[in-house]
């Protein structure tokens, strides 16, 4: 007798499907996602919250490994280390084609998801950046001239202004502007330009 067990979708299936869709440049609609997974909309909402939260989790799933790789592959300590991680991470983001496509599809929505103070990506980026700064302070490698949380927040906002300058300022993001942001971060950390 054949096994008639039907495979049921899980929250992880919903996330993986949404991530694949986002990477391909497909718009994510929770109604069609729930239909694709063979589950009710209420179930999907219980699993992922809402579309903004789901896309935020997708973006974080792409950003966090990139950040960890930058930390692992950046030599040095103190100001040089922090600026190196900042440069490496943001340079990759600057040239990440799925992100550029996401921004071009709906710039206002993308800006909300990427930079809003309620954004998962923005909030977690500030939190993880703050932890990195605190580790460097605790190790005695830096003595920033300002509050660590404020410093972290300013660093993230500087990166966002460069990475999303096409939405914010109507000009294409450029490597040279990111280098200027790296110089600004170095100065904020108490280093020399």
């Amino acid at each position: 007798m054949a096994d008639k067990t039907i495979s049921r979708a899980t929250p992880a299936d919903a996330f993986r499907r949404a991530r694949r869709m986002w990477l391909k440049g497909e718009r994510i609609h929770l109604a069609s996602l729930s239909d694709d997974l063979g589950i009710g909309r209420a179930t999907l909402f219980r699993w992922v919250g809402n579309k903004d939260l789901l896309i935020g989790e997708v973006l974080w799933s792409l950003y966090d490994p990139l950040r960890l790789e930058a930390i692992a592959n950046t030599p040095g300590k103190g100001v040089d280390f922090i600026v190196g991680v900042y440069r490496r991470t943001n340079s990759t983001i600057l040239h990440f084609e799925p992100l550029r496509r996401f921004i071009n599809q709906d710039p206002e929505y993308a800006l909300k998801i990427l930079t809003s103070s309620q954004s998962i990506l923005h909030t977690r980026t500030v939190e993880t950046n703050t932890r990195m700064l605190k580790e460097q302070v605790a190790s005695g490698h830096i003595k920033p001239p300002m509050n660590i949380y404020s410093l972290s927040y300013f660093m993230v906002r500087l990166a966002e202004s460069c990475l999303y300058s096409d939405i914010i300022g109507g000009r294409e993001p450029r490597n040279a502007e990111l280098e200027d942001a790296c110089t600004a971060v170095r100065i904020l950390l108490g280093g020399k330009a």
Side-chain angles (χ1 to χ4, degrees):
M1 180 182 220
D3 184 5
K4 294 187 179 184
T5 306
I6 297 174
S7 175
R8 300 228 185 260
T10 66
D13 295 327
F15 173 78
R16 281 191 297 270
R17 174 82 174 111
R19 189 174 194 262
R20 279 193 307 271
M21 290 171 70
W22 188 89
L23 285 167
K24 288 182 191 176
E26 298 173 14
R27 292 187 187 264
I28 296 172
H29 300 286
L30 294 186
S32 22
L33 182 58
S34 66
D35 290 344
D36 289 350
L37 295 167
I39 59 172
R41 289 182 196 161
T43 299
L44 183 61
F45 274 95
R46 211 172 35 256
W47 289 352
V48 303
N50 60 39
K51 178 181 169 182
D52 295 356
L53 293 172
L54 177 59
I55 293 175
E57 290 293 348
V58 166
L59 291 168
W60 181 253
S61 78
L62 298 165
Y63 175 82
D64 195 43
L66 173 65
R67 177 188 67 83
L68 293 172
E69 182 180 326
I71 288 170
N73 293 318
T74 302
K77 57 189 177 220
V79 173
D80 290 337
F81 173 74
I82 292 168
V83 172
V85 169
Y86 186 84
R87 177 182 291 113
R88 195 180 287 248
T89 303
N90 290 307
S91 180
T92 302
I93 293 169
L94 184 67
H95 301 288
F96 188 52
E97 186 53 40
L99 181 63
R100 305 276 35 114
R101 190 171 45 234
F102 176 64
I103 291 169
N104 290 329
Q105 284 176 344
D106 189 346
E108 288 181 21
Y109 181 71
L111 192 62
K112 173 186 159 189
I113 296 300
L114 295 165
T115 68
S116 160
S117 58
Q118 286 78 41
S119 155
I120 288 173
L121 182 66
H122 172 80
T123 303
R124 289 182 186 167
T125 302
V126 172
E127 288 170 0
T128 57
N129 198 54
T130 301
R131 276 198 306 274
M132 180 178 65
L133 291 168
K134 284 182 176 180
E135 289 167 4
Q136 291 295 306
V137 168
S139 299
H141 299 308
I142 60 169
K143 285 185 165 189
M146 68 176 71
N147 171 284
I148 295 292
Y149 180 80
S150 295
L151 174 57
S152 178
Y153 178 81
F154 295 149
M155 288 172 64
V156 171
R157 286 299 189 200
L158 267 171
E160 290 169 349
S161 70
C162 294
L163 297 171
Y164 316 128
S165 62
D166 43 351
I167 310 170
I168 297 169
R171 63 189 189 286
E172 283 303 307
R174 297 172 300 131
N175 287 321
E177 194 169 85
L178 181 56
E179 267 317 301
D180 288 342
C182 290
T183 299
V185 166
R186 181 175 295 283
I187 293 166
L188 287 171
L189 289 165
K192 297 193 183 202

